[in-house]
Amino acid sequence: MAILMTPELAQPDTCLRIGDFTPKTNLFLSPIARFCDLPFRLVARSCGGIGLACTDLLSPHGLLKENDKSMYLAATCPEDEPLCMQLFGEDPELMAKAAQWAEAHGAVVIDINMGCPADKVVKKDGGVALMRRPEAATRIAQAIVEAVKVPVTAKMRLGFDACQQNSPQLARMLADVGIQLITVHGRTGAQRFGGDVDRSGIAAVVEAVADIPVLGNGDIKSPQDAKEMIDSTGCAGVMIGRRALSDPWIFRDTHAYLTTGTIPEPPTFDQRVELVIRHFKLLVEYRGPRRATMDMRQRISWYARMLPKTKSLKQNMNRIGSPEEFYEVIGQYRATVAGST
Ligand SMILES: Cc1cc2nc3c(=O)[nH]c(=O)nc-3n(C[C@H](O)[C@H](O)[C@H](O)COP(=O)(O)O)c2cc1C
């Protein structure tokens, strides 16, 4: 079992290792169900700075049956490297088989979801429910570690709820059976996305598993936030989720800030619009025109956060029914904003 981390942030390119795998940066793209599919990962990677990107949570049943939904969620290609595939579930044998499937289909890291608070996952004892059953969680981890050659990681919260904040103890148990990196979202499962991120809770995990890297996660919205997370918790790197949906350049900017202390010029209006168009083209390529159109209706509100004068863009995009209408709406928006500046 490998691993290590030095506190030397001046060279983050070389300071984080996950077993035999050394990511180029210590900045990871979070799994975000329904959003972190192949088209989005390709778009986000094209902006630079990502050390490792993760799929959305994947069902072991779905992977092993190779059903359409799971095959779409696990789809990858050479430009999508390096890739982590995240599994959720509670059956060690099934999870181990799914991990072997993931390893055979392009995953260089396998992550176990121990943080999802969604009812349908928790009801089946998966996601954050595993934090209530640390022995069961550890059995799953051990089964996967024994089944694959690639490194195995786990993503958790501070605990199931305020009364059961056992992330340091669980992280230790997982590290002892060969888990090579822990990501901690600094909230409990019961908090879902409410309340503040508790960085001291993340620091406690860092202390508990000094022999493997820990990633801090939660509410990182700027390079400065990432640096504060690292400085205040001692974590080896960060995982960024929601901010990447509106600003995929966050990884490039954060990497520059951590290594040089400066943040590059922000992308221009045209570059942001071009990125939305590129994303749409990839959605059409991988999902087909109808689903791409539906998908972009949802995604535009995230991109709109970083664009000016988006009221009519959001309204019109919400009504698009075909790729032609997408191009018409984005073209009109571009011309209107360009004409008003
Ligand atoms: C819509 C949505 C879907 C998510 N799906 C997953 C998931 O599939 N697996 C997972 O481990 N975390 C999932 N998360 C949690 C994120 O990975 C991340 O831990 C959380 O959003 C906090 O980070 P952020 O503030 O940078 O977004 C999801 C979060 C959101 C908002």
Side-chain angles (χ1 to χ4, degrees):
M1 199 192 325
I3 331 333
L4 226 37
M5 233 341 282
T6 77
E8 182 48 75
L9 290 173
Q11 297 176 327
D13 281 4
T14 53
C15 69
L16 187 154
R17 279 191 286 137
I18 314 172
D20 293 338
F21 169 62
T22 306
K24 288 206 172 119
T25 75
N26 56 350
L27 310 172
F28 289 19
L29 173 64
S30 280
I32 307 185
R34 297 189 309 283
F35 288 95
C36 282
D37 54 4
L38 177 59
F40 179 69
R41 294 195 305 269
L42 291 175
V43 161
R45 287 181 194 279
S46 74
C47 297
I50 292 182
L52 184 68
C54 193
T55 62
D56 294 344
L57 78 178
L58 302 170
S59 147
H61 290 285
L63 288 185
L64 295 171
K65 285 187 184 152
E66 301 201 339
N67 70 29
D68 288 351
K69 183 180 172 197
S70 294
M71 290 307 94
Y72 176 69
L73 293 177
T76 185
C77 66
E79 297 74 38
D80 186 36
E81 290 169 3
L83 180 67
C84 169
M85 292 195 192
Q86 188 190 61
L87 306 174
F88 76 96
E90 35 54 70
D91 179 338
E93 202 182 323
L94 198 61
M95 293 281 273
K97 281 189 183 144
Q100 287 172 334
W101 186 98
E103 180 179 41
H105 289 83
V108 298
V109 174
I110 311 281
D111 187 66
I112 310 170
N113 184 318
M114 300 190 186
C116 179
D119 292 342
K120 65 178 180 183
V121 174
V122 169
K123 262 187 210 154
K124 291 186 180 164
D125 292 331
V128 76
L130 285 176
M131 295 198 75
R132 278 194 305 203
R133 299 165 61 231
E135 285 79 17
T138 306
R139 276 196 295 277
I140 292 169
Q142 185 162 15
I144 297 180
V145 167
E146 286 170 4
V148 296
K149 293 193 183 67
V150 293
V152 183
T153 63
K155 181 165 178 286
M156 62 177 68
R157 289 188 173 232
L158 297 179
F160 185 79
D161 59 24
C163 304
Q164 306 174 72
Q165 299 203 38
N166 60 343
S167 50
Q169 294 84 347
L170 176 58
R172 186 64 261 155
M173 289 166 74
L174 296 174
D176 288 343
V177 295
I179 290 294
Q180 311 247 27
L181 172 142
I182 304 277
T183 303
V184 191
H185 175 185
R187 293 185 172 90
T188 65
Q191 280 181 293
R192 292 182 176 244
F193 296 93
D196 292 334
V197 165
D198 174 6
R199 289 187 179 158
S200 67
I202 298 174
V205 177
V206 173
E207 205 183 318
V209 289
D211 49 340
I212 61 169
V214 172
L215 299 181
N217 169 242
D219 291 358
I220 292 172
K221 296 180 183 142
S222 66
Q224 291 87 341
D225 286 348
K227 183 159 177 11
E228 277 171 29
M229 173 69 91
I230 291 169
D231 289 348
S232 63
T233 65
C235 65
V238 298
M239 189 177 259
I240 302 176
R242 288 166 293 174
R243 182 66 180 189
L245 299 179
S246 52
D247 186 14
W249 282 274
I250 178 92
F251 301 97
R252 175 202 70 166
D253 292 353
T254 303
H255 182 57
Y257 186 63
L258 294 177
T259 47
T260 68
T262 57
I263 300 175
E265 284 292 306
T268 62
F269 171 71
D270 266 336
Q271 285 171 323
R272 288 195 189 276
V273 172
E274 281 302 328
L275 186 106
V276 175
I277 294 172
R278 195 159 74 243
H279 191 163
F280 184 74
K281 285 183 178 161
L282 286 165
L283 283 169
V284 172
E285 183 181 338
Y286 287 102
R287 299 218 85 175
R290 196 180 70 81
R291 297 190 96 150
T293 306
M294 303 303 285
D295 204 31
M296 191 44 85
R297 282 188 186 187
Q298 284 190 353
R299 290 177 183 269
I300 199 66
S301 58
W302 288 96
Y303 283 126
R305 293 174 193 206
M306 300 302 286
L307 290 166
K309 301 177 183 160
T310 54
K311 194 172 168 201
S312 61
L313 173 71
K314 285 191 284 187
Q315 282 168 350
N316 294 334
M317 207 53 100
N318 209 22
R319 292 190 208 110
I320 59 171
S322 66
E324 293 71 28
E325 286 175 15
F326 167 82
Y327 288 113
E328 195 183 322
V329 167
I330 199 86
Q332 267 171 10
Y333 167 69
R334 194 176 206 168
T336 308
V337 173
S340 69
T341 51

